Amino acid sequence: GGFHILWNWPQTMQSASDSFWKGSTPSTSPQAQTERLKVRLAGYPRKHNEGRVELFYKGEWGTICDDDFSLSNANVLCRQLGFVSATGWTHSAKYGKGQGKIWLDNVLCNGGEKSIELCKSRGWGNSDCTHDEDAGVVCKDERIPGFVDSNVIDATVDENRVEEVRLRPIVAMAKKRLPVTEGVVEVKHKDGWAQICDVGWTIKNTRVVCGMLGFPHERKVNKNFYKLSLERQKNHFHIHSVACTGTEVHLAACPMEFSKPNATSSCEGGMAAVVSCMPGPLFMQNSGLKKKLKTSSNVRLKGGARLGEGRVEVLKDSEWGTVCDDRWNLQSASVVCRELGFGSAKEALTGGRMGQGMGPIYMNEVKCVGLEKSIWNCPFKNTTSEDCQHMEDAAVRCNIPYMGLENTVRETWYWDSSNVTEMVMSGVKCTGNEMSLSQCQHHKTVNCQKAAAKFSAGVICSETASDLVLNASLVQETVYIEDRPLHMLYCAAEEDCLSKSAAKANWPYGHRRLLRFSSQIHNIGRADFKPKAGRHSWVWHACHGHYHSMNIFTHYDLLNANGTKVAEGHKASFCLEDTDCQESVSKRYECANFGDQGITVGCWDLYRHDIDCQWIDITDVKPGNYIMQVVINPNFEVAESDFTNNAMKCNCKYDGHRIWLHNCHVGDALSEEAEKRFEKYPGQLNNQIS
C-alpha cells in the first residue's frame, strides 16, 4: 500500500559462515537481518542509473557521507539497486543536497558484500558531515538477470501520512459489482479506516482519488443522496481541508490537515467525502458506453508483463515509435495512463526497463503538467539520433482498478492427485491481451477426451520474457536472386530447404532459383531467449557442423494477394547464438563446440544471405506481385512478452529475372490503416526500386 516505489535487494538468507564476520563489527542492527534494506537513487538532473544514494532506515530516508567513499562502496550499492556493477561515484552533493538524516559515514566496503549495511562504518546516524557532502553513484547500465524490482523515478511524498485509500460503496447495487466506482473515500488509519471531511472538497481532489484507484475520469456525485445514509453512520474524520491541484498521482502529495490525535473529529457543516469515478472502456460493464468511449488510437503500451504497464509508443505518420526518457516523470506518465483508459501512473520507468523499441524515437524531454488529454498536447522536443537511443525508451506502470480476478483462479501443483477432477474449460485460445481466461475464445461446452487430473493445463509464471524481432530494413537491403547449381545443393536438400519439385529434378544437372536475404534477429525483451528443448534432445546437423536447438524457428513464405502460399518456403531449424551485441552487453551464447544456445537481451543472431537455407526456393513461381513473410518462433514454443512483432512482411515485385522488395516492416510497426493499404495492393504501393 505504501507509495514509495523502491529497489529491494532480493532476500538472502545469512549462511552460518556469514555470522562469524571477520574484522570489525559491521553496523547491522537486528532489523537488518529480517528486513531488506531499501535503497534508492534521487536528485536532479540525472539518468536512471545514477544519483544521490538514499537509504531507508528506522522509518526515514537519509543519505551517505562521501568521506572515505570508494568504488567498492559504489559496487555494493549498484548491485543492491539491480545493476551489475558501478562505473563511478560522486562527491560533494553532485546530484543536489539530500534532506533529513545522514545515515552512514566513513563507509568501507570490500566490494563483495550483499548489502551496504554489512560494510564497516561509524554506525547508523553517526556522522560529522553536512548534506554538502552527500555521496552519489553511477552504475553500469546493465541489469542483473532476473532482478525483478525496476528502476523507478520516485515521487516525493511523505509515507507516514496517507498510505492506502479505498472507496466504500454505500448503494446496494454498487456493493455487488467490481470495480467499485462510487462511494465514501476512506484512508487507512491505525488498524481501521477513517473518513475525510468534505468541507472545501473540489473536483480536483476527486480526480486524484479516481486516478489512484485506476480510473481516468471523475464524475459529479449526488451528495443529497448520500447525506441521509451517512448521517446514520458513525464517522471518524481523520483528514480535512484537502487541496489537490489535480495533477498529483497520489492523495498523499496533496496539501491537507490532520485531526489532532485526541480531539473529537467533527466535520462542521460537511459530511464524509464521496466520489464517483468513470472507468476506462476496458473496465466498463455497460457495452454501449464502451463503444462510444474508445481509448486513444495513437498511443500504446508494449512489452509489459501485466495490464496497464509497458514501453510507451506513439503513432506519427502511420508509423509507431518510442519516447526518450530525458525528464520523464510521473506527470507525463499519468497523461499516457489516463489517455489509455487507466488511472494515474504508479511508476515512470526509464532506461528501456520494459524492453527496447525498434524504429523511430519521436519525443524527448516531454513536460506534461498532468491535466493534458494526450501526450501529444504536452511540450516536447523532437529527437535526433545523437540525443537518444532505444536504451533510453520510457515506460509506465499505471494504476488499474481492482477487479478481484485473482479470486477466480488458483498459480496448485498440477500433478496433485486431489479430488479436483472436473474440467471446466477446453479449447482455450487467447490473444494475450485478455484480463482473464474467461474472456478468451474457448469451447462452448467442454470437450476433453482425457479428463484425468494429469491432463489439466498448468503454467509457470515469470516477471520477464524475451522479445524477438527481425530487422526489416536489412532484409530489404540484402535481397537478391541466385540460380544455384543442383550439385551445390545436396546438403540443402537433405535439410528440406528446397521445394518439393526439386526431388523430381535431374540431379546433379540444372539449378534452383533462390530468393536470398539476410535475417538479423534481435532480442529486445527483458530476458534471454533460450530454446525450449534441453541439449540432450538437440539435433546434430552434419552438413552444417553444429547442433540445431529448435526444430522450427522461422517460417519463410511467399504469399499472393489473398494470402495463399505461392512458394512452399520452408520451416528453418536454427542454431541460436549471439553474433553481436550493443555496447556494454557481453555475448553469452555460441553454437561451436556444443556451446550454450540462445540470444542474450541486447544482442542479435545474424544469418547472412550467403549461408545454406537462408532463402526461399522460387523456381516454380511465376512473375507477379507478392508478399514475402518471415515469422519467428511461429509455434510460440518459447515465451515472449510480445508476439505481435514476430512477423515481418514486405511487398515483393518479381519480373521473372529480378526481384524488388519494398515497405518491409515488422507486424506491429504500422497504423491499422497503413497495414490495410499494404495488404490490399501487394507490390503496387509505389514503384520506387530500393
PDB file of all heavy atoms in Angstrom, residues 360-374:
ATOM      1  N   PRO A 360      11.582   4.473 -35.089  1.00  0.00           N
ATOM      2  CA  PRO A 360      11.928   5.848 -34.710  1.00  0.00           C
ATOM      3  C   PRO A 360      11.728   6.151 -33.220  1.00  0.00           C
ATOM      4  O   PRO A 360      10.970   5.473 -32.543  1.00  0.00           O
ATOM      5  CB  PRO A 360      10.985   6.714 -35.553  1.00  0.00           C
ATOM      6  CG  PRO A 360       9.953   5.818 -36.102  1.00  0.00           C
ATOM      7  CD  PRO A 360      10.387   4.406 -35.944  1.00  0.00           C
ATOM      8  N   ILE A 361      12.456   7.175 -32.725  1.00  0.00           N
ATOM      9  CA  ILE A 361      12.218   7.735 -31.389  1.00  0.00           C
ATOM     10  C   ILE A 361      11.658   9.129 -31.656  1.00  0.00           C
ATOM     11  O   ILE A 361      12.342   9.970 -32.224  1.00  0.00           O
ATOM     12  CB  ILE A 361      13.521   7.834 -30.580  1.00  0.00           C
ATOM     13  CG1 ILE A 361      14.160   6.437 -30.440  1.00  0.00           C
ATOM     14  CG2 ILE A 361      13.269   8.426 -29.196  1.00  0.00           C
ATOM     15  CD1 ILE A 361      15.527   6.427 -29.790  1.00  0.00           C
ATOM     16  N   TYR A 362      10.400   9.365 -31.294  1.00  0.00           N
ATOM     17  CA  TYR A 362       9.732  10.601 -31.719  1.00  0.00           C
ATOM     18  C   TYR A 362       9.844  11.765 -30.747  1.00  0.00           C
ATOM     19  O   TYR A 362       9.805  12.915 -31.130  1.00  0.00           O
ATOM     20  CB  TYR A 362       8.240  10.333 -31.961  1.00  0.00           C
ATOM     21  CG  TYR A 362       7.947   9.545 -33.206  1.00  0.00           C
ATOM     22  CD1 TYR A 362       7.091   8.445 -33.166  1.00  0.00           C
ATOM     23  CD2 TYR A 362       8.501   9.899 -34.431  1.00  0.00           C
ATOM     24  CE1 TYR A 362       6.803   7.726 -34.311  1.00  0.00           C
ATOM     25  CE2 TYR A 362       8.221   9.176 -35.579  1.00  0.00           C
ATOM     26  CZ  TYR A 362       7.366   8.090 -35.521  1.00  0.00           C
ATOM     27  OH  TYR A 362       7.083   7.380 -36.649  1.00  0.00           O
ATOM     28  N   MET A 363       9.894  11.463 -29.427  1.00  0.00           N
ATOM     29  CA  MET A 363       9.801  12.556 -28.448  1.00  0.00           C
ATOM     30  C   MET A 363      10.934  12.496 -27.444  1.00  0.00           C
ATOM     31  O   MET A 363      11.404  11.426 -27.098  1.00  0.00           O
ATOM     32  CB  MET A 363       8.494  12.441 -27.651  1.00  0.00           C
ATOM     33  CG  MET A 363       7.238  12.571 -28.450  1.00  0.00           C
ATOM     34  SD  MET A 363       5.823  12.337 -27.314  1.00  0.00           S
ATOM     35  CE  MET A 363       4.503  12.883 -28.366  1.00  0.00           C
ATOM     36  N   ASN A 364      11.308  13.678 -26.938  1.00  0.00           N
ATOM     37  CA  ASN A 364      12.293  13.755 -25.870  1.00  0.00           C
ATOM     38  C   ASN A 364      11.912  14.928 -24.967  1.00  0.00           C
ATOM     39  O   ASN A 364      11.245  15.855 -25.408  1.00  0.00           O
ATOM     40  CB  ASN A 364      13.678  13.978 -26.475  1.00  0.00           C
ATOM     41  CG  ASN A 364      14.767  13.847 -25.426  1.00  0.00           C
ATOM     42  OD1 ASN A 364      14.533  13.319 -24.349  1.00  0.00           O
ATOM     43  ND2 ASN A 364      15.946  14.340 -25.735  1.00  0.00           N
ATOM     44  N   GLU A 365      12.346  14.868 -23.706  1.00  0.00           N
ATOM     45  CA  GLU A 365      12.043  15.940 -22.743  1.00  0.00           C
ATOM     46  C   GLU A 365      10.565  16.316 -22.753  1.00  0.00           C
ATOM     47  O   GLU A 365      10.201  17.471 -22.907  1.00  0.00           O
ATOM     48  CB  GLU A 365      12.921  17.170 -23.036  1.00  0.00           C
ATOM     49  CG  GLU A 365      14.396  16.862 -22.815  1.00  0.00           C
ATOM     50  CD  GLU A 365      15.255  18.107 -22.632  1.00  0.00           C
ATOM     51  OE1 GLU A 365      14.716  19.156 -22.219  1.00  0.00           O
ATOM     52  OE2 GLU A 365      16.458  18.017 -22.891  1.00  0.00           O
ATOM     53  N   VAL A 366       9.720  15.286 -22.611  1.00  0.00           N
ATOM     54  CA  VAL A 366       8.275  15.528 -22.528  1.00  0.00           C
ATOM     55  C   VAL A 366       8.000  16.201 -21.186  1.00  0.00           C
ATOM     56  O   VAL A 366       8.482  15.747 -20.152  1.00  0.00           O
ATOM     57  CB  VAL A 366       7.503  14.188 -22.603  1.00  0.00           C
ATOM     58  CG1 VAL A 366       6.011  14.435 -22.517  1.00  0.00           C
ATOM     59  CG2 VAL A 366       7.862  13.442 -23.881  1.00  0.00           C
ATOM     60  N   LYS A 367       7.242  17.305 -21.219  1.00  0.00           N
ATOM     61  CA  LYS A 367       6.977  18.026 -19.966  1.00  0.00           C
ATOM     62  C   LYS A 367       5.479  18.278 -19.817  1.00  0.00           C
ATOM     63  O   LYS A 367       4.997  19.379 -20.079  1.00  0.00           O
ATOM     64  CB  LYS A 367       7.703  19.382 -19.964  1.00  0.00           C
ATOM     65  CG  LYS A 367       9.206  19.268 -19.914  1.00  0.00           C
ATOM     66  CD  LYS A 367       9.837  20.664 -19.860  1.00  0.00           C
ATOM     67  CE  LYS A 367      11.230  20.637 -20.453  1.00  0.00           C
ATOM     68  NZ  LYS A 367      11.663  21.922 -20.982  1.00  0.00           N
ATOM     69  N   CYS A 368       4.743  17.262 -19.407  1.00  0.00           N
ATOM     70  CA  CYS A 368       3.297  17.436 -19.208  1.00  0.00           C
ATOM     71  C   CYS A 368       3.051  18.067 -17.842  1.00  0.00           C
ATOM     72  O   CYS A 368       3.806  17.845 -16.892  1.00  0.00           O
ATOM     73  CB  CYS A 368       2.577  16.095 -19.242  1.00  0.00           C
ATOM     74  SG  CYS A 368       2.807  15.154 -20.756  1.00  0.00           S
ATOM     75  N   VAL A 369       1.974  18.817 -17.744  1.00  0.00           N
ATOM     76  CA  VAL A 369       1.544  19.340 -16.441  1.00  0.00           C
ATOM     77  C   VAL A 369       0.829  18.224 -15.693  1.00  0.00           C
ATOM     78  O   VAL A 369       0.938  18.081 -14.482  1.00  0.00           O
ATOM     79  CB  VAL A 369       0.578  20.535 -16.645  1.00  0.00           C
ATOM     80  CG1 VAL A 369       0.046  21.027 -15.302  1.00  0.00           C
ATOM     81  CG2 VAL A 369       1.300  21.657 -17.382  1.00  0.00           C
ATOM     82  N   GLY A 370       0.069  17.421 -16.450  1.00  0.00           N
ATOM     83  CA  GLY A 370      -0.659  16.315 -15.836  1.00  0.00           C
ATOM     84  C   GLY A 370      -2.149  16.395 -16.106  1.00  0.00           C
ATOM     85  O   GLY A 370      -2.900  15.495 -15.758  1.00  0.00           O
ATOM     86  N   LEU A 371      -2.599  17.511 -16.712  1.00  0.00           N
ATOM     87  CA  LEU A 371      -4.033  17.669 -16.993  1.00  0.00           C
ATOM     88  C   LEU A 371      -4.336  17.496 -18.485  1.00  0.00           C
ATOM     89  O   LEU A 371      -5.493  17.527 -18.892  1.00  0.00           O
ATOM     90  CB  LEU A 371      -4.517  19.060 -16.531  1.00  0.00           C
ATOM     91  CG  LEU A 371      -4.375  19.327 -15.034  1.00  0.00           C
ATOM     92  CD1 LEU A 371      -4.638  20.801 -14.719  1.00  0.00           C
ATOM     93  CD2 LEU A 371      -5.323  18.444 -14.225  1.00  0.00           C
ATOM     94  N   GLU A 372      -3.287  17.320 -19.315  1.00  0.00           N
ATOM     95  CA  GLU A 372      -3.489  17.235 -20.757  1.00  0.00           C
ATOM     96  C   GLU A 372      -4.287  15.984 -21.135  1.00  0.00           C
ATOM     97  O   GLU A 372      -4.227  14.966 -20.464  1.00  0.00           O
ATOM     98  CB  GLU A 372      -2.134  17.200 -21.491  1.00  0.00           C
ATOM     99  CG  GLU A 372      -1.301  18.463 -21.329  1.00  0.00           C
ATOM    100  CD  GLU A 372      -0.414  18.476 -20.092  1.00  0.00           C
ATOM    101  OE1 GLU A 372      -0.586  17.613 -19.201  1.00  0.00           O
ATOM    102  OE2 GLU A 372       0.449  19.364 -20.012  1.00  0.00           O
ATOM    103  N   LYS A 373      -5.023  16.091 -22.243  1.00  0.00           N
ATOM    104  CA  LYS A 373      -5.841  14.963 -22.725  1.00  0.00           C
ATOM    105  C   LYS A 373      -4.974  13.907 -23.410  1.00  0.00           C
ATOM    106  O   LYS A 373      -5.352  12.757 -23.514  1.00  0.00           O
ATOM    107  CB  LYS A 373      -6.883  15.454 -23.736  1.00  0.00           C
ATOM    108  CG  LYS A 373      -8.010  16.279 -23.127  1.00  0.00           C
ATOM    109  CD  LYS A 373      -9.164  15.378 -22.705  1.00  0.00           C
ATOM    110  CE  LYS A 373     -10.356  16.153 -22.180  1.00  0.00           C
ATOM    111  NZ  LYS A 373     -10.086  16.730 -20.843  1.00  0.00           N
ATOM    112  N   SER A 374      -3.829  14.341 -23.959  1.00  0.00           N
ATOM    113  CA  SER A 374      -2.973  13.402 -24.677  1.00  0.00           C
ATOM    114  C   SER A 374      -1.522  13.840 -24.527  1.00  0.00           C
ATOM    115  O   SER A 374      -1.231  15.023 -24.380  1.00  0.00           O
ATOM    116  CB  SER A 374      -3.333  13.393 -26.161  1.00  0.00           C
ATOM    117  OG  SER A 374      -2.298  12.788 -26.911  1.00  0.00           O
TER     118      SER A 374
END
